[in-house]
Amino acid sequence: MESTPVMFSRGDRADAADQEGTWWASAPHLLDVAAGCKGHATPILHALKQIEGELPVPGNGSTRQLWEFFASVAALDLVAARTLEPHFDAAAILHQADMPCPQATTWGVFAAEAPGQRLEASRFSGQWTLTGIKPWCSLAGELTHALISAHTSQGRQLFMIELGGPETELADSSWVSRGLQDVPSGSLRCMDTPAQPVGEAGWYLERSGFAVGGVGVAACWFGGAVGLFRHLLGTARTREPDQLALAWLGEADRLLASGAAMLERAAELADREQLGPRQAAQTRGEIARICERMIHISGHATGPGPLALDEEHARRVADLSIYIRQHHATRDDAALGRMLLEDRSKEQEPW
């Protein structure tokens, strides 16, 4: 798979080399590592530990470049992107909380909830501890640290914890997913785990950066769709395409153009501190739909052969299929509809 950087507006810049020049120092190396991951998280985890200096954060004037980097990594390897993006998200959250992100560490962000599993935070003599089970803790057995949400008497609150010690253990190892196989996302059991609060109760979900971080994930999904397009284009070039092949290729190009435009617009809003929940939900939902359609087009255009015989392509389809399930499909559309009805502003209608 080619390592050409993904650019949301290709016509605005001369070539891919110019794009890499706008990234920070460690980005080209991380891209090279991603190209060799082959569905394994260990290489990118090792590379993240070696990064020196602060990571770029969204909303500081270079959000588009950051999301293009995420997409570029994902176009090469979705496991690499799924491992790298939460690390960057954690750094951005700590930056927003005016807290440092230690060097030579790897981070996850564990904020999901599930029926029958609950993580409680309690404070005694000034020290916070966490007790209970937290679901969907990706790579908890491989990371050094995590930002994790827990229930307090004041509501849900975010905490920083160290992983790998006797106070934490994997509670569920039954990760059977065929996609993102090397990113196990089982439950984590905390047993009086020392924790440091990150913001007050409610701050994590209410902060402006929450919506921005969600679109950063969508940029990774988009990169996976770009990877499918590149495979589709390469396949079309190996033989004389018929009208169906041309139509599928044209539709795929149109889908990616619309997704890139939405991501670029969202990045502009983020840099102006104007990216709200509604715009984020629109972007995430549309990118998820584009990815689903790209998976469909790819299967119809190339048939069963690549899915059965091409390791890289088959892995990309499986990885992207589960990755986009972070979008909750119709339920997220229902949440968007609720935002519209609950907006009492009479100054401007939605459309």
Side-chain angles (χ1 to χ4, degrees):
M1 178 59 62
E2 62 179 290
S3 59
T4 303
V6 175
M7 295 183 288
F8 298 155
S9 296
R10 295 189 66 88
D12 291 345
R13 275 153 283 171
D15 53 41
D18 289 341
Q19 167 63 349
E20 288 196 33
T22 67
W23 289 344
W24 74 104
S26 300
H29 174 64
L30 289 172
L31 203 64
D32 289 341
V33 172
C37 278
K38 300 185 184 303
H40 297 290
T42 300
I44 206 74
L45 286 172
H46 181 69
L48 288 172
K49 280 187 176 181
Q50 294 179 320
I51 293 177
E52 296 181 357
E54 293 184 357
L55 294 175
V57 298
N60 278 9
S62 58
T63 304
R64 189 202 71 224
Q65 289 87 343
L66 178 60
W67 289 351
E68 286 177 335
F69 169 71
F70 287 170
S72 299
V73 170
L76 293 170
D77 192 289
L78 282 158
V79 166
R82 180 64 183 85
T83 303
L84 176 146
E85 185 277 328
H87 181 90
F88 278 66
D89 189 34
I93 294 168
L94 291 171
H95 175 82
Q96 195 169 11
D98 293 323
M99 299 174 67
C101 184
Q103 300 288 304
T105 55
T106 52
W107 290 76
V109 180
F110 307 151
E113 300 287 333
Q117 298 186 5
R118 186 178 175 91
L119 186 64
E120 298 278 358
S122 57
R123 188 178 186 182
F124 182 74
S125 298
Q127 173 64 55
W128 286 93
T129 58
L130 308 182
T131 301
I133 297 179
K134 190 68 172 175
W136 298 106
C137 296
S138 301
L139 291 169
E142 305 295 330
L143 302 171
T144 64
H145 293 75
L147 298 180
I148 187 168
S149 65
H151 293 269
T152 73
S153 60
Q154 302 299 314
R156 289 175 64 190
Q157 187 168 350
L158 194 68
F159 295 88
M160 177 196 306
I161 64 170
E162 291 189 23
L163 298 169
E167 301 90 356
T168 61
E169 67 178 16
L170 301 180
D172 182 7
S173 59
S174 57
W175 182 250
V176 299
S177 175
R178 298 309 186 259
L180 301 178
Q181 283 187 320
D182 206 39
V183 188
S185 301
S187 299
L188 179 71
R189 177 177 287 110
C190 293
M191 301 163 288
D192 290 327
T193 306
Q196 181 179 351
V198 179
E200 301 296 329
W203 174 82
Y204 170 66
L205 295 175
E206 295 170 0
R207 65 193 175 88
S208 59
F210 184 77
V212 177
V215 181
V217 175
C220 295
W221 303 340
F222 181 81
V226 170
L228 291 179
F229 175 85
R230 290 174 176 175
H231 178 266
L232 182 67
L233 179 61
T235 300
R237 285 172 171 167
T238 62
R239 59 181 182 269
E240 184 64 30
D242 59 15
Q243 285 294 98
L244 286 175
L246 292 172
W248 282 318
L249 188 60
E251 181 184 355
D253 182 57
R254 175 166 51 81
L255 290 170
L256 292 185
S258 66
M262 289 198 75
L263 286 167
E264 184 164 36
R265 174 59 176 164
E268 293 173 356
L269 291 174
D271 284 336
R272 298 205 301 260
E273 298 184 355
Q274 295 176 355
L275 181 64
R278 180 188 169 209
Q279 294 87 351
Q282 290 171 339
T283 305
R284 281 172 57 89
E286 192 61 14
I287 298 300
R289 185 193 67 83
I290 287 169
C291 290
E292 289 179 337
R293 182 59 184 164
M294 286 294 299
I295 291 170
H296 180 86
I297 290 173
S298 175
H300 279 227
T302 63
L307 289 172
L309 303 174
D310 185 329
E311 167 68 26
E312 183 179 10
H313 176 74
R315 184 174 63 246
R316 178 174 291 108
V317 171
D319 289 347
L320 185 58
S321 296
I322 190 169
Y323 200 173
I324 59 175
R325 292 281 59 84
Q326 287 189 355
H327 183 261
H328 302 120
T330 308
R331 287 183 173 84
D332 278 357
D333 279 342
L336 175 57
R338 183 174 294 278
M339 289 181 207
L340 294 173
L341 289 182
E342 291 180 347
D343 183 0
R344 303 300 183 183
S345 173
K346 300 299 183 181
E347 298 179 2
Q348 182 177 354
E349 292 292 343
W351 292 101

